[in-house]
Structure formats: structure tokens, C-alpha cells
Amino acid sequence: MSNLAVVEGVLERITYANEENGYTVARVDTGRGGGDLLTVVGSLLGAQPGESLRMEGRWGSHPQYGRQFVCENYTTVLPATIQGIRRYLGSGLIKGIGPRIADRIVEHFGTATLDVIEAEPKRLIEVPGLGPKRTKLIGAAWEEQKAIKEVMVFLQGVGVTTSIAVRIYKQYGDASVSVVKNQPYRLAADVWGIGFLTADRIAQSVGIPHDSPERVKAGLQYALSQSTDQGHCFLPEERLIADGVKLLQVDTGLVIECLAELAADPEGVVREAVPDPDGGDPVTAVYLVPFHRAELSLTGQLRRLLQAEDDRMPGFQDVDWDRALSWLAGRTGADLAPEQRDAVRLALTRKVAVLTGGPGCGKSFTVRSIVELARAKKAKVVLAAPTGRAAKRLAELTGAEASTVHRLLELKPGGDAAYDRDRPLDADLVVVDEASMLDLLLANKLVKAVAPGAHLLFVGDVDQLPSVGAGEVLRDLLAEGGPVPAVRLTRIFRQAQKSGVVTNAHRINSGLPPLTDGLPDFFLFAEEDTEAAGRLTVDVAARRIPARFGLDPRRDVQVLAPMHRGPAGAGTLNGLLQEAITPARPTVAEKRFGGRVFRVGDKVTQIRNNYEKGANGVFNGTVGVVTGLDLDEQRLTVRTEEDEEIGYEFGELDELAHAYAVTIHRSQGSEYPAVVIPVTTGAWMMLQRNLLYTAVTRAKKLVVLVGSRKALAQAVRTVSAGRRYTAVAARLSGRIPVGIMT
């Protein structure tokens, strides 16, 4: 630490912060006058704009930005001058104090301001315009900030970022330091945003041994949890052991011992012999407990529904179908094709059924027909879809109310549903659209809530990408030899054949390249260079499509990228699209958070399930627009696509991401007037047929591909080899004897 230079100054603004490692680029006012600000780089973990800092480090130079100070550690010094105090308080550090109120407080108390807030916060009521409610809020926020600072100082040595340190404090309060020191692996389970790797880094710096059984068990559960993020419900035991050895860098014997201990713990993991999907010897599957319970429960409930003696729509068992269908044609103005008729009969006579097929094959019209007939017999019909957009579309199509599955089940904080086996939905027919998006956990909650005797119809396109969450429920329901009856619509209707979007979706699905010449609704802008393709994508989405087709770039046009990273990835494109569509303006409020800026008018998406927000929670993938930003209250407001106003504290902004561009995976279940898809060689590993097919089928009117013909050919050619590890199909078909577990 010798020869370190010391610099003191006020932190003016953070221009970049890496949430992963705490690396920060900031501008600091050292009081040299002339408005000159010094660039400081390094880990300024926990430092807030407005604070006076005493920084130790070294002088350096950057080829582009010139002289800068590389900070190695810092301490916060409370400001002593009136100007410093005003800036410190007005920085948004203390909830309830924005720049205007800071001015009033400092005007009243002068240099004694911080002492008053610290020792006699009740005196704040002397300040004109500060009522008792806000006074109390400021006092509490000051205390919390102090406590967080203490936790921050401790966590700074362990390399935890600001937002995570705040979350640790919110989770454990005064016990934060004790938990971090003594049970660091709890963080990975309890605190959103902390995975095993961060917890492991903390554990090592507080002295937990590398080969501690606690570390190995936490690592194995992390490996299983990571696999559920990739869509698997379980991992074969051999693969889990190999993954554990690689992740933890410990002996195989220790991993096997710790896995046995986890399997003996009722809350640890479950081991069970399941059939090998490739027809070999049975494999030992290792599940996290909630996923094993969900598989058993989902398959058990489906069998219960299929075998129910009751029938809540008995009138369809002996109906005159010719008469019923001609009455229906009179109502809808069109006859059903033979396979559509089969689907209608199936849904109304069988307790559980599946309707699948690609675009233009009449899935929507078939669903409308099923709902019309059920209503004609006075049946109670309930319609749901996994996303707000899909539910809206289902409602428009059928003329009946539709809701998201989460809202239908009234999910509560913690994820429990108001409707379940003991309190089923009051419905004779439950129709779930976009069922390819249903993951194992949500499908289980839904099926549990269907009353015995009611009919359940899953509708979806099985050729699309499987759900973001674990499982591939729709594909499992359609598996050969299973008990669930299904109809697959294959005939493309004449009207749909005129659409380039529909035609090309089916071409892609059949392994043929899309037609890109001479169509009014499907274009390719060829550009081999990935970076140039990224810039061209932005130009097409923000300027060319709105100019030519009169579409709103924020509401009607969606950029769908194969991946998040890279010059044509959703991350980079979001920054460029924000600049083009919602640029910085003096009249528009904005808030910097990490490396991002949120502005009023921004298109954003929720990136985690949060059961505490809104009427029934806000879920991963919900999209909305920022409608308000209050710097005093440190709150941002989003109006979601379900027309609900949701408030976010500034500390919660890592739950939001910009949504001008999203990955194709995140677009499932949504439909947009126009989509722009960058297809570049930079995304080579991701380019697969079902990915491109899913992206194209998100468009109602217009598709523009931007990028490389070579990459496009690769996407069409490559069939995804990766099946997910799930035993739902095997359980449904009775290939796993009930009760055999190891």
C-alpha cells in the first residue's frame, strides 16, 4: 500500500458501473474550480453521487480519456461545507429528499444539517413544507442508509456490488454481517441476484475451506439450479457429479459423498431411476425437490382429470355433430375443415386434449368454434395464456374474457395460488393458449386448479421454442404412447397462403430457406458484417419501417435477437434503439442505474418473477413503458401491457431491462405487428431452425431479416439436437412405476 496517492473530492456522477465486479468509472469534483472534473476508475462500491470521498490509489492515463485516478480503496467523508451538504442530500441518497427539499433543509439548518438529521431528526418538521410523515420517512431512511453503509464497508472487502449489498441488507437487516460471515451459501438461496459463484467468493474471503461439505452441497444444488435455467427438470447422476467436480475443483469421492448426504435430506435432492430417453438402460435422475414434486403432481393430476367419472359438459357425449356444426357455421360464417372438426369434438368430449399446428392452419378459428359451442350449452368457459399479450389476443379472438395464467390462479407472494386442488376454478372448460410456453412449475399449478369433470384444452405450436422455464410440457403431452388425445392441424388455409410471413414460417419449419424477393411483407437486408448488421437493424426498426408502413417504432415494431451479447445482440441494440427512439432531452426525467439509463417513455421488461408487486405479482417477460420518474421519492412507474401501474424503488431497477430489443426466447407468446430479426454469423452457436421459426411466427404483418445469407442458411439447416431432461412423458405413459425411488 506504500506510495499511494490520496485524492479528496465530491462524487458528481457514475458514468459506468459493472454490476458483476463493481468496476466503476466516475467523475469527481476535486474543487479545482473551472468546472473541471476528474475521471476516477476502480471499485467505488457503495459510493453515491453527492458523497465526499477520500480515495487512495495511483495516477494513470487513458489513451482516449486522458489523465485519470485509479482508486484502490476509499472512505466516505461527510461533507462540511454548505455547498457539499446541499449536493450530498440532493443526490437522491436519502429517500424522501430530492434537490428541492435538500435546498430547504440546508437553508434552515446550514452546516448543522447532518448533525440534526443524525441526532434530532424530529426537528426536520421546522423546515417549511416538511410534514410529520416525510420527516419520519427521512429519519428512517437515514438510519437505514447508515446500517447499509456498515454492511457495505464489510462487503466491500468481499467484492459484492452495491445493489446486491442493499439486497442482502433488505433480506437480513441487522443480521446481514453475521449471515455473510457464518452462512454465506444461504445467500445463493435467499437473495435474488446472488448465485453460487458470488456466494462462493464471499465464503472464501470469510475463510470457509475449499473442501467444506457445506460448499460442495451448495455447489451441487447450484449446478442443478443452473440446469433448470437451461430447461432441464433433472440431471443424470453421472453428469451432475462430473459438473460438480468441474465447478468445485474437488475430488470425485467428496462430491459423491456430499450428493448422498443431500439425497438423505428431505429438503436436499431426490434420486430416482427413470427410462433413458434414447432407449438404453435406466438412468438415475437427480432432481431439486420442487421439480420432482411438480413432475409427480402434474402427471398425477392429468391422470386424475382423464379418468374422472364426472363430466361437467355431459351434453356433448350424445350430440348430433352434423347439426351442431352446421349451426356453428351459421354463427361464424365459415365451415370447419375435417381436422378442425376432429379438434372441436375432442375438446368437448374428452377431459384433457391438445390442439397443435403452425400459423395459418386455423388454430384460432378452431378455438373460437369450441368456445362458441361450449357457451351455447351454457358451459362456464375460462380462457388463459402465459403472457398478457397472448391473453389479450385470445380475448379479442373469442369475444370472451381471458387472463394470464398467473392472474387466473391469483398467485400470492411466495408463489402459492389461491386456486388449487382444494379450491378448484369454477369452470367447465379451461382453454390455455400458447401452451408451448408453459413450464413444468406453472403447468402443475394450473392443472391442480382444474376441477375433476371439467375439460382442459392445451393449444399451442409444438415446433416453437420450448418454455423459458424447466420442462417441455406441450411436447410431453404429445409424446407417442401417452394418454392425452391430440389433433395436429396441418392444412394451410387459402387466405393464409397469401401471407409471406405464414408461407416462410412453414418453409423454415420444413428446412427450406425463406423466400425473400418480391414479397410485400417479408424482406431480407443482406449485410455480412455483424457490427454493420446491428446498426442497420436499428435503422430499419427505428426509421425505415415507421416511414414506409406508418408503424409506431415503440409500440408496433419489435427487434428479436438470437442472443443477448455481441454487436447485434439484444444488449447492444437496446442502447442504440433507446438513443434513436427515446433520446436524452432536458425535459425528460432520467435515472442512471448501473451502466444503463432509464427514461420516461422507455420500453422495458421485467426480468424476474416478483410476487410482491401489483395485484397478482409481475412476472418475468412482462413488458411495459416507463410513465413516471420521481427523483425525490426515488420511484419509477411502469404501465404494463395489462394496463397496470407498477412502482419500482430505484434500488429495484435491476429487475427491469430495456425491451426495444429482446432475445427470441423472451418473445415467446407475444405477437407484434412487425419484427426485425438480426441473423448474423456472430450468433452462430444459437442459430437453429426452431429459434428462427419462433421469431418469424411472432409477426402479424411484417418480417425484416437483417444480416448474413450464410447465417440464415445455417439457422434453417440446424435442427436443435438438445432434448431436455424431463420424465413427464414417461410418467404419463406409465413407464415409471409409481413409488420406485433410490
Side-chain angles (χ1 to χ4, degrees), residues 651-664:
E652 299 174 313
L653 292 183
D654 49 3
E655 292 190 18
L656 287 178
H658 290 97
Y660 299 100
V662 296
T663 61
I664 296 166

Side-chain angles (χ1 to χ4, degrees), residues 7 25 27 129 199 256 264 269 303 436 488 512 520 554 559 675 713:
V7 169
V25 179
R27 303 282 278 158
I256 291 169
V269 299
R303 284 166 167 275
S436 61
R488 182 169 193 142
L512 297 170
R554 191 183 284 109
V559 173
V675 301

